[in-house]
Amino acid sequence: MKVAWFDAEEWEKEYLEGKTSNLEIEFFSDSLTEETVEKAEGFDAVTVFVDSHINEKVLDSLEIDLVACRSTGYDHVDLEAAEENNITVCNVPQYGGSTVAEHTFGLILSLSRKIYEAIRKVDNGSFDHEGLRGFDLHGKKLGVIGTGAIGQNVIKIARGFGMDVVAYDPYGDESLEEELGFMYVSLEDLLDHSDVVSLHCPLTDENRHMLSSEEFELMEDTLLVNTARGALIDTEALIQALEDGSVSGAGLDVLEEECYVEEDIEVMGQLKDECDLELILEDHMLMERDDVLVTPHNAFNSREAMHRIADTTLENLRSKENRV
């Protein structure tokens, strides 16, 4: 099987050396897009990261059997167009269970103990405590939305901090309640009673903007953390919730529109058609707030997680090859 490995980093070439028997892999640092699709000519399969945009036009141009996503999410692939072209799409569902959960608590602790503000204060030459009083997590209630592998690990960590945990998941496994020490509740109850709310669910057409004005009205002085997908949150509604205090702070590893704009306003004229300018400006409004911490979609990014992604992708490719 000839495989085009897009979004490639140097470490991947070194890590995969000697592990790719029966696979002929060519690495491309480019993402797979309409502009780069010609590089995939002559290959049987492509593997991509989330920076690639596999739309209908790209899929119509490919002569492959498989798109192997090196990510859990696959919303960057047009699944209907893939099916029409008889192209299988697979992902890596379990690589980030502990990795993303740990990043989640990094954000929670940074907000609850004002760690970023403290570092910035010291950088400015001040060692006083003014404005740095935080709060204990022990005894606080954490609301976890989504109880898959990541959500379960978040619950385990929270229990270690002595937090009470409630969760919402329309497809939840009730046997987990006793095993992990939490209780399933409705989304409304979770938002109404949680001190911290953390999102760990995939993005679907049904749950886009699952947290909007109506949901934020249920919160009171709540910390919000999102390491899942940006569009789960209505950005405009979140800004208003921060203004009125229903959300006291937000830790966001994802934003609703991730076509980031540089500080130079001239870049505004060079945006791709699919980028939403209004959302980008709202994202910048969030990033400029002292009560919001934004990390660059980096929760997945540990050495161990990246190795798991590469290994599982090889398994996916070999599985497809064996079925041919």
Side-chain angles (χ1 to χ4, degrees):
M1 177 184 285
K2 295 184 64 177
V3 180
W5 192 289
F6 286 89
D7 305 298
E9 298 182 20
E10 283 300 317
W11 73 266
E12 291 176 296
K13 303 176 187 178
E14 299 174 7
Y15 179 74
L16 294 173
E17 187 175 356
K19 293 190 174 190
T20 58
S21 60
N22 302 324
L23 296 173
E24 184 180 337
I25 297 179
E26 186 170 347
F27 295 93
F28 300 96
S29 59
D30 310 86
S31 297
L32 180 55
T33 64
E34 292 180 22
E35 291 72 29
T36 62
V37 68
E38 63 182 20
K39 294 186 177 183
E41 291 181 5
F43 289 90
D44 304 303
V46 298
T47 174
V48 298
F49 197 52
V50 294
D51 296 322
S52 291
H53 298 284
I54 319 299
N55 59 22
E56 182 177 7
K57 187 173 181 180
V58 171
L59 290 163
D60 288 344
S61 301
L62 294 171
E63 296 181 359
I64 61 171
D65 298 311
L66 176 69
V67 173
C69 298
R70 301 196 305 281
S71 57
T72 298
Y74 40 80
D75 46 308
H76 52 299
V77 181
D78 186 330
L79 297 181
E80 289 186 8
E83 185 176 3
E84 290 174 2
N85 284 276
N86 295 314
I87 297 173
T88 301
V89 179
C90 62
N91 66 339
V92 183
Q94 297 293 339
Y95 75 90
S98 58
T99 305
V100 177
E102 290 174 9
H103 190 89
T104 296
F105 262 85
L107 290 172
I108 292 173
L109 287 166
S110 294
L111 290 164
S112 67
R113 300 306 303 269
K114 300 183 183 295
I115 291 173
Y116 182 74
E117 293 96 319
I119 293 171
R120 186 166 52 189
K121 185 181 276 280
V122 172
D123 283 344
N124 291 331
S126 174
F127 281 79
D128 69 76
H129 299 159
E130 184 178 355
L132 297 181
R133 182 160 296 157
F135 63 87
D136 290 351
L137 294 181
H138 184 88
K140 299 299 188 297
K141 181 164 288 185
L142 172 67
V144 176
I145 299 177
T147 55
I150 296 171
Q152 291 175 40
N153 278 298
V154 167
I155 292 169
K156 293 174 185 177
I157 296 172
R159 297 295 292 154
F161 274 94
M163 301 185 77
D164 296 324
V165 182
V166 293
Y168 167 75
D169 190 326
Y171 310 103
D173 180 355
E174 294 184 0
S175 67
L176 293 172
E177 290 181 305
E178 184 175 353
E179 178 184 343
L180 299 181
F182 72 96
M183 181 172 63
Y184 280 116
V185 297
S186 68
L187 179 60
E188 291 75 15
D189 283 344
L190 182 149
L191 299 175
D192 192 29
H193 296 102
S194 296
D195 301 294
V196 181
V197 171
S198 191
L199 291 165
H200 302 287
C201 51
L203 176 65
T204 66
D205 291 339
E206 289 72 28
N207 68 12
R208 182 177 294 272
H209 286 184
M210 70 183 302
L211 296 187
S212 193
S213 298
E214 184 177 347
E215 287 74 30
F216 287 129
E217 289 176 1
L218 298 171
M219 300 183 186
E220 183 178 355
D221 196 32
T222 305
L223 282 187
L224 176 64
V225 175
N226 187 8
T227 56
R229 284 291 185 267
L232 293 168
I233 296 174
D234 182 331
T235 305
E236 183 179 1
L238 174 57
I239 293 171
Q240 183 58 47
L242 288 160
E243 288 289 335
D244 65 30
S246 54
V247 174
S248 59
L252 308 173
D253 189 52
V254 288
L255 297 170
E256 189 169 0
E257 178 58 87
E258 293 187 357
C259 291
Y260 299 115
V261 180
E262 302 293 336
E263 292 299 321
D264 191 341
I265 197 66
E266 293 178 4
V267 177
M268 291 293 188
Q270 304 172 16
L271 291 175
K272 297 178 182 178
D273 292 340
E274 66 267 21
C275 299
D276 188 317
L277 178 57
E278 182 177 354
L279 283 175
I280 291 172
L281 293 174
E282 290 174 349
D283 285 344
H284 273 278
M285 291 173 66
L286 284 175
M287 289 186 279
E288 291 169 0
R289 295 184 64 97
D290 292 336
D291 51 5
V292 176
L293 294 180
V294 177
T295 52
H297 206 151
N298 197 54
F300 72 94
N301 194 15
S302 74
R303 181 172 56 251
E304 294 82 0
M306 297 308 291
H307 289 174
R308 288 192 289 270
I309 289 174
D311 290 337
T312 304
T313 299
L314 289 183
E315 292 175 12
N316 287 339
L317 291 167
R318 290 191 179 111
S319 176
K320 178 63 175 178
E321 181 185 37
N322 292 336
R323 290 198 299 269
V324 175

